[in-house]
């Protein structure tokens, strides 16, 4: 059976048992930790640094924890590429869309309302197309995916950026809301668009967080997905789910040429804490800095072939043993499929 056909059948569930039998991904080496430009370096300095390097490792050394998305993509020509970014209307998502469009990509940006999406796409230079996406609504996610299928025969990257942080216990169809929005909605969107990603030998980028280490004891709360007893750690729980989803997706993408990686943008000052007091540390990053590693993972040549990684500041980041638990990742995938099918 041709490999791409076999993978298509895996997506549709026709070969689900075989999918679970696939080996863990052979992970390409993540570029080494960069020596880095200073946080105050300009895009011109980054471009000059990149031009001086002849290898991916040398290019990576031009970046640092304080680098911006423009610096991380300096010198790249993305004309001819199509990239979808969720949560394009503010913060890291808006900056990611802006920079990728600036480099020549056609960016499909999603937002929860038509007005927010249109305003965001109109604010950037380059080609940006708004699409409505409500990650809390399974039918809305499917509608979004159907519209993207009409817009793009292939996706060079899918950046799963959108997310929420809640201070109270909220549920959607009996499930804790942060789990639904931050993980389950993106799981379904990616599943619906995998044919487009595979067609481009593209990249799925899932925004995670170092806060995944604060997930409830035992990891994913399969027996209590309502949030009962752990909703105060709901964001951490959802970020662990993001990392596990990316890990399992990388396993399933073996042999297709497509990749999946999870990245943490670091503590970034955006609107995500609007429902929980907007308490940011003094060292919070700007959206331009927070979008740097997501943009790098989505388009930089140094990330070609890298899959199943967890990145912080352009290199492998520290993560918990739970986020590397292949069995938990496989179980989360199976449970997520059941949940989206139940709520279809």
């Amino acid at each position: 059976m041709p490999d791409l056909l076999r993978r298509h059948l895996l997506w549709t569930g026709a070969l689900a048992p075989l999918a679970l039998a696939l080996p863990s991904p052979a992970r390409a080496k993540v570029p080494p930790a960069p020596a880095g430009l200073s946080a105050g370096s300009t895009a011109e300095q980054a471009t000059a640094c990149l031009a001086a390097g002849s290898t991916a490792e040398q290019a990576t050394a031009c970046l640092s924890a304080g680098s911006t998305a423009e610096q991380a993509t300096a010198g790249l020509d993305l004309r001819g590429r199509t990239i979808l970014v969720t949560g394009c209307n503010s913060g890291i998502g808006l900056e990611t869309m802006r920079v990728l469009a600036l480099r020549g990509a056609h960016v499909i940006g999603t937002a929860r309302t038509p007005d927010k999406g249109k305003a965001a796409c109109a604010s950037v230079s380059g080609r940006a197309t708004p699409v409505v996406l409500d990650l809390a609504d399974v039918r809305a996610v499917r509608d979004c995916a159907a519209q993207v299928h009409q817009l793009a025969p292939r996706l060079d990257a899918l950046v799963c950026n959108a997310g929420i942080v809640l201070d109270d216990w909220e549920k959607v169809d009996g499930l804790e809301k942060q789990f639904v929005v931050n993980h389950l909605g993106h799981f379904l969107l990616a599943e619906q668009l995998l044919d487009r990603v595979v067609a481009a030998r593209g990249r799925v980028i899932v925004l995670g967080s170092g806060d995944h280490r604060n997930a409830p004891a035992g990891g994913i709360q399969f027996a209590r997905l309502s949030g009962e007893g752990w909703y105060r750690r709901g964001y951490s729980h959802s970020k662990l789910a993001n990392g596990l989803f990316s890990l399992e997706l990388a396993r399933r993408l073996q042999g297709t040429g497509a990749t999946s990686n999870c990245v943490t943008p670091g503590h970034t000052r955006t609107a995500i804490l609007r429902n929980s007091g907007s308490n940011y540390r003094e060292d919070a990053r700007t959206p331009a800095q927070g979008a740097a590693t997501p943009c790098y993972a989505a388009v930089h040549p140094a990330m070609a072939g890298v899959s199943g990684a967890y990145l912080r500041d352009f290199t492998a980041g520290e993560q918990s043993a739970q986020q590397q638990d292949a069995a938990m990742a496989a179980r989360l995938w199976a449970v997520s499929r059941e949940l989206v099918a139940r709520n279809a």
Side-chain angles (χ1 to χ4, degrees):
M1 180 185 298
D3 192 59
L4 287 179
L5 174 58
R6 179 171 68 98
R7 292 290 163 175
H8 173 72
L9 292 174
L10 291 178
W11 312 147
T12 60
L15 294 180
L18 178 58
L20 292 175
L22 289 173
S24 298
R27 300 185 185 183
K29 183 179 180 181
V30 178
L37 296 174
S38 68
S41 300
T42 66
E44 289 75 16
Q45 288 172 313
T47 302
C49 180
L50 289 164
S54 59
T55 66
E57 288 75 14
Q58 289 170 324
T60 306
C62 296
L63 303 170
S64 72
S67 295
T68 66
E70 284 199 26
Q71 291 172 337
T73 59
L76 299 184
D77 183 353
L78 303 183
R79 287 177 294 182
R81 299 196 199 183
T82 301
I83 300 172
L84 188 149
V85 179
T86 67
C88 77
N89 55 290
S90 67
I92 292 172
L94 178 58
E95 180 66 3
T96 298
M97 178 173 70
R98 184 189 73 80
V99 171
L100 297 180
L102 180 69
R103 301 296 181 221
H106 170 209
V107 182
I108 300 172
T110 77
R112 284 194 303 122
T113 68
D115 289 346
K116 287 182 178 180
K118 289 176 182 177
C121 289
S123 73
V124 305
S125 297
R127 187 181 176 194
T129 303
V131 176
V132 174
L133 171 63
D134 182 351
L135 289 164
D137 185 331
V138 168
R139 291 182 180 85
V141 175
R142 294 185 188 277
D143 289 344
C144 173
Q147 188 171 351
V148 173
H149 272 86
Q150 294 178 347
L151 289 170
R154 49 181 277 163
L155 284 175
D156 295 277
L158 167 59
V159 182
C160 300
N161 160 79
I164 59 172
V165 176
L166 299 177
D167 198 34
D168 295 321
W169 187 11
E170 297 185 34
K171 292 184 287 185
V172 176
D173 295 325
L175 304 173
E176 197 275 325
K177 188 172 183 178
Q178 290 165 111
F179 176 81
V180 173
V181 172
N182 298 351
H183 162 64
L184 200 60
H186 279 124
F187 168 85
L188 177 57
L189 181 68
E191 188 181 48
Q192 294 283 300
L193 295 176
L194 276 179
D195 62 332
R196 295 303 197 251
V197 176
V198 170
R201 299 173 69 87
R203 306 177 185 183
V204 177
I205 308 303
V206 183
L207 266 70
S209 170
D211 202 46
H212 76 272
R213 292 186 291 268
N214 294 320
I220 301 301
Q221 303 295 291
F222 293 108
R224 299 184 298 169
L225 289 175
S226 68
E228 182 180 358
W230 56 265
Y231 74 91
R232 291 292 184 188
R233 295 190 178 188
Y235 179 74
S236 303
H237 181 261
S238 72
K239 292 293 104 176
L240 174 60
N242 287 152
L244 291 170
F245 160 58
S246 179
L247 180 65
E248 175 65 8
L249 179 56
R251 187 178 71 86
R252 290 169 178 257
L253 285 173
Q254 280 187 268
T256 68
T259 61
S260 174
N261 292 292
C262 183
V263 307
T264 174
H267 182 62
T268 304
R269 189 181 297 276
T270 67
I272 195 169
L273 296 184
R274 62 189 179 277
N275 296 315
S276 58
S278 296
N279 296 316
Y280 293 94
R281 300 195 308 263
E282 291 185 1
D283 64 347
R285 300 179 179 189
T286 66
Q289 294 169 326
T293 301
C295 284
Y296 173 86
V299 300
H300 201 284
M303 287 297 294
V306 176
S307 195
Y310 174 70
L311 299 182
R312 177 183 172 88
D313 297 334
F314 316 104
T315 191
E318 294 183 8
Q319 55 182 326
S320 68
Q322 288 179 335
Q323 190 165 269
Q324 302 173 70
D325 188 330
M328 188 181 296
R331 184 181 179 188
L332 176 63
W333 185 286
V335 170
S336 297
R337 291 205 69 208
E338 292 174 1
L339 291 172
V340 296
R342 184 187 75 184
N343 294 314

